[in-house]
Amino acid sequence: MTPVLLIFFVLAGLAVLGAVSLVLQKHPIHSALSLIVVMVCLAGLYLLMGAEFVAAVQIIVYGGAIMVLFIFVIMLLNAGEEERTDFSKIAKFAGLPLALALTAAIAAAVVKPDQSLHPVTEPVIAKATEQISTMLFKEFVYPFELTSFLILVAIIGALVLAQREKK
Amino acid sequence: MVPTQYYLILSAILFGLGAVAFVFKRNIITIFMSIELMLNAVNLAFVAFSQAFGKVHGQVFVLFVIVVAAAEAAVGLGIIILIQRNRQSLNVEKVNLLKL
């Protein structure tokens, strides 16, 4: 087993453990912390694949901004442990098998045995960050501008939603 | 080196766990977090394909997905605050009317 493969399995195992913990934890803040573990592990996997820019953005935006927003809201609302309510009978017995079937179906669809994908080696794409920036500002410049508009709309929407009604 | 298939299988597992959390959880914040988990799984598949085909398009798409996720988090958490204020509960079973 090569060191790279070993690092992959450690990070992948941690990510899956974090995701399982997200499902099993009762308190939302524990779920949020598990999700942070998953995101950091995914950033490590991006680094392993040689996508440094995406790894950095993953840490800064997901681990930094979005999760802080989540934890801020959990603390602001003082969210306690979640109340269990009764599942329907179908959900109780068919829920987990159906979830497994979904995972298997996705995995089977994306992993075809005769695929001509060559294994991920580190620098398949030389100077990935440079290429990303060039593509972002040339080929994808209109979608890029649209995302800035989307962010603006989201900011206004969040402000309108969160303000208190004046009487 | 790590085969691309491993990354894709990991991505499928994470997506499945996100879907399970989405269906089984009752707390609206946790449900929202499971959506983020599913988006992350898709991002992993994007980057893996980008590396496998030697093209950078997948990584550009990941950036767009992250931007949309950030916008979604801002608006969604605003809605969650509003729900808590109006219903005094974060349980999704209690949010069964469109009218607040």
Side-chain angles (χ1 to χ4, degrees):
Chain A
M1 189 181 272
T2 59
V4 174
L5 209 57
L6 193 70
I7 295 172
F8 170 81
F9 277 120
V10 169
L11 286 175
L14 270 176
V16 172
L17 273 182
V20 170
S21 157
L22 185 145
V23 181
L24 294 183
Q25 296 285 356
K26 293 248 181 296
H27 203 288
I29 202 117
H30 296 154
S31 294
L33 292 175
S34 320
L35 190 56
I36 292 176
V37 170
V38 177
M39 284 167 178
V40 172
C41 289
L42 285 184
L45 287 175
Y46 295 152
L47 272 183
L48 202 64
M49 280 191 270
E52 318 91 358
F53 185 66
V54 177
V57 169
Q58 168 92 0
I59 293 277
I60 293 170
V61 177
Y62 262 126
I66 296 183
M67 288 320 291
V68 167
L69 205 61
F70 269 102
I71 290 177
F72 182 75
V73 167
I74 292 171
M75 289 180 168
L76 179 75
L77 299 183
N78 203 8
E81 291 204 354
E82 94 185 298
E83 315 150 27
R84 300 305 314 176
T85 38
D86 284 336
F87 290 123
S88 68
K89 282 232 171 72
I90 305 172
K92 207 178 228 167
F93 293 107
L96 220 51
L98 278 179
L100 282 176
L102 174 73
T103 309
I106 297 171
V110 290
V111 183
K112 300 221 176 79
D114 59 336
Q115 221 149 26
S116 57
L117 302 174
H118 53 81
V120 175
T121 49
E122 320 111 275
V124 181
I125 303 167
K127 295 187 185 166
T129 311
E130 200 182 312
Q131 283 190 43
I132 289 173
S133 57
T134 314
M135 194 164 277
L136 209 54
F137 287 104
K138 278 193 180 151
E139 212 176 322
F140 289 98
V141 67
Y142 291 118
F144 182 72
E145 294 297 331
L146 268 181
T147 53
S148 60
F149 192 67
L150 178 75
I151 293 263
L152 181 69
V153 172
I155 291 170
I156 295 171
L159 273 179
V160 169
L161 283 172
Q163 72 181 350
R164 288 187 182 281
E165 283 170 40
K166 293 189 189 83
K167 281 180 187 155
Chain B
M1 286 303 148
V2 189
T4 307
Q5 272 84 354
Y6 288 11
Y7 285 107
L8 298 179
I9 290 172
L10 176 64
S11 160
I13 291 172
L14 288 181
F15 191 91
L17 282 168
V20 168
F22 185 86
V23 176
F24 277 72
K25 288 302 211 177
R26 283 293 167 269
N27 189 312
I28 196 162
I29 297 177
T30 324
I31 288 176
F32 208 52
M33 281 194 280
S34 61
I35 297 175
E36 299 291 330
L37 180 61
M38 287 192 273
L39 283 172
N40 266 289
V42 173
N43 281 351
L44 183 65
F46 264 132
V47 176
F49 276 126
S50 148
Q51 292 294 325
F53 292 116
K55 292 215 169 109
V56 87
H57 292 74
Q59 296 184 30
V60 175
F61 256 81
V62 167
L63 293 184
F64 286 130
V65 171
I66 288 176
V67 169
V68 171
E72 177 219 335
V75 176
L77 290 171
I79 293 174
I80 288 175
I81 290 175
L82 211 60
I83 287 173
Q84 162 80 5
R85 201 181 282 158
N86 284 301
R87 310 226 174 237
Q88 278 76 45
S89 167
L90 288 171
N91 194 332
V92 279
E93 311 250 311
K94 298 216 170 108
V95 189
N96 48 7
L97 295 173
L98 271 178
K99 197 173 164 229
L100 279 172

